[in-house]
Amino acid sequence: MALSTILETPGAGFNFDNAERNAALEGLFEGGQTPKPLKTGTTIAGVVFKDGVVLGADTRATSSDVVADKMCAKIHYISPNIYCCGAGTAADTEKTTDLLSSNLSIFSLNSGRNPRMVMAVNILQDMLYRYHGQIGANLILGGVDCTGNHLYTVGPYGSVNKVPYLAMGSGDLAALGILEDGFKHDLELEKAKELVQAAIHAGIMSDLGSGNNIDICVITKEGVDYIRPYQESEYKDDRKMKYKYRPGTTAVLTEKVVPLNLEVVQETVQKMETV
Amino acid sequence: MLGEAEPQWLSEEVKTGTTIIAIEFNGGVVLGSDSRVSAGESVVNRVMNKLSPLHDKIYCALSGSAADAQTIAEMVNYQLDVHSMEIGEDPQVRSAATLVKNISYKYKEELSAHLIVAGWDRKEGGQVFATLKGLLTRQPFAVGGSGSSYVYGFVDAEYRKGMGKKECQQFVINTLSLAMNRDGSSGGVAYLVTIDEHGTEENVILGNDLPTFFDQ
């Protein structure tokens, strides 16, 4: 049931090529562990308010016990009116949201309109269901379209939930507590931003996998306000040394210049049709 | 704890661990469900409506794996739309149930979802069909989901043929309430859908409006 305007035509059934490759790789490592995929160990949250949707996320990406990226961007662009927060395996969320974004651009160019939230959700659900949970992406989609302000979540197995407020990721239980307590329908913009910021903050404080700064993305009919970072961590480190080397630190021993002699062999001029 | 940056339930499949029930009364059907969606020990959505429309006067109740059940319901919704355009009139409940049964039977190894199909059509009136594991059987009432085991005795004892609409709705609410109290994977609010020849009516009964029994 793929739309004719979408570039990617999904093959029938499941495509487990990479699962076979992974199994083969595991054999090569001889009993040792294959390198673990980078998980974002995250807190992401979303709230529908009076004029639109507010999405929030922390900015820590962990690789086992080490923080791999302190300023990771977890709020991904899907279309001018839809943004998506991703939790789970970092590569999966990046790739899935990129794929969704390009498919929706093609649709927009073909039809001349901004895509609707339900379209984005359906494409995601289709794709994730086909891969039966092998793609570890937990996504929160928020956006404003001609039918209103919407917030959806799609799980890795392809289940969809439409809700007015939501938190996902390893820090979600802490964030959800704040949201359950503070959420009301038709909040004002400032209150909604505060609520999301408090929710992410709770996740950062109570979860080891979340931390550093807080990003906020406000989507309304008028446009998008992507505030990155909305709030910086109080625990910014203060580097005492410079880790960059001055030019000249490495001595130049010899220098040889070889000029490339190029001849013009053929010249063609093609007129471009302009309106 | 440092080793696990993500709780186990995030990678676990989301199940609806449910109580669903559908009953035929004189002139229509009543469907009821709870609203809890769990993934492992965590509740992912506490207000999910598990009664999904397949057509104007045919609904299905979802249980089992959330993704599988939602997908089956959407596929059958599409197939029924095409079918009803082809025949030029509203489809029969038996047709809808057969479409669900076909998918459940063909993919029975891969899927783990059970849908109860119920609705009203001009030919046979109100009907309830169970489609567990690919069988198709018409029953006067059907219960499903993890919470159903706690209420088999209740429905067997209390069901009577020829109940009226209001009586039937109350019966469904009572059953759901009892099941939600005993089953850990069922809870939240109760959703009710009543279908008869005049139309379809959707209701929500909030937690504190549910009937209470002796120990509450």
Side-chain angles (χ1 to χ4, degrees), chain B residues 174-186:
Chain B
N174 286 344
T175 314
L176 286 174
S177 184
L178 284 166
M180 283 166 23
N181 278 329
R182 285 291 179 183
D183 179 27
S185 321
S186 302

Side-chain angles (χ1 to χ4, degrees), chain A residues 48-226:
Chain A
V48 174
F49 72 102
K50 199 170 70 148
D51 306 316
V53 178
V54 179
L55 296 172
D58 73 306
T59 58
R60 173 178 291 182
T62 50
S63 180
S64 302
D65 308 336
V66 180
V67 175
D69 191 349
K70 286 179 281 197
M71 197 55 181
C72 165
K74 299 185 191 177
I75 305 184
H76 309 281
Y77 166 85
I78 302 285
S79 76
N81 58 328
I82 304 177
Y83 274 70
C84 174
C85 302
T89 309
D92 288 343
T93 56
E94 282 281 342
K95 204 63 189 176
T96 309
T97 46
D98 273 351
L99 220 63
L100 178 64
S101 177
S102 31
N103 279 339
L104 288 181
S105 306
I106 295 175
F107 165 79
S108 285
L109 289 167
N110 263 317
S111 65
R113 21 176 97 122
N114 272 340
R116 296 193 190 185
M117 278 296 293
V118 282
M119 184 172 182
V121 172
N122 280 337
I123 295 177
L124 267 182
Q125 183 193 36
D126 256 349
M127 183 178 133
L128 291 176
Y129 184 76
R130 231 182 318 131
Y131 283 93
H132 229 51
Q134 299 289 335
I135 298 184
N138 275 300
L139 303 165
I140 294 185
L141 276 126
V144 175
D145 61 25
C146 54
T147 56
N149 318 323
H150 306 287
L151 187 67
Y152 284 88
T153 173
V154 186
Y157 285 86
S159 53
V160 175
N161 285 306
K162 181 178 194 309
V163 269
Y165 61 91
L166 193 50
M168 282 290 229
S170 52
D172 72 335
L173 290 176
L176 213 45
I178 301 286
L179 289 176
E180 290 278 17
D181 186 45
F183 178 80
K184 291 185 202 2
H185 282 290
D186 293 335
L187 281 168
E188 293 294 332
L189 172 62
E190 284 312 312
K191 281 259 173 267
K193 273 161 62 174
E194 267 170 38
L195 182 63
V196 172
Q197 184 245 338
I200 305 289
H201 186 71
I204 288 175
M205 285 295 135
S206 317
D207 175 44
L208 293 175
S210 310
N212 298 96
N213 310 325
I214 301 179
D215 288 345
I216 293 260
C217 183
V218 181
I219 311 168
T220 54
K221 241 184 5 201
E222 280 78 47
V224 173
D225 194 11
Y226 190 161

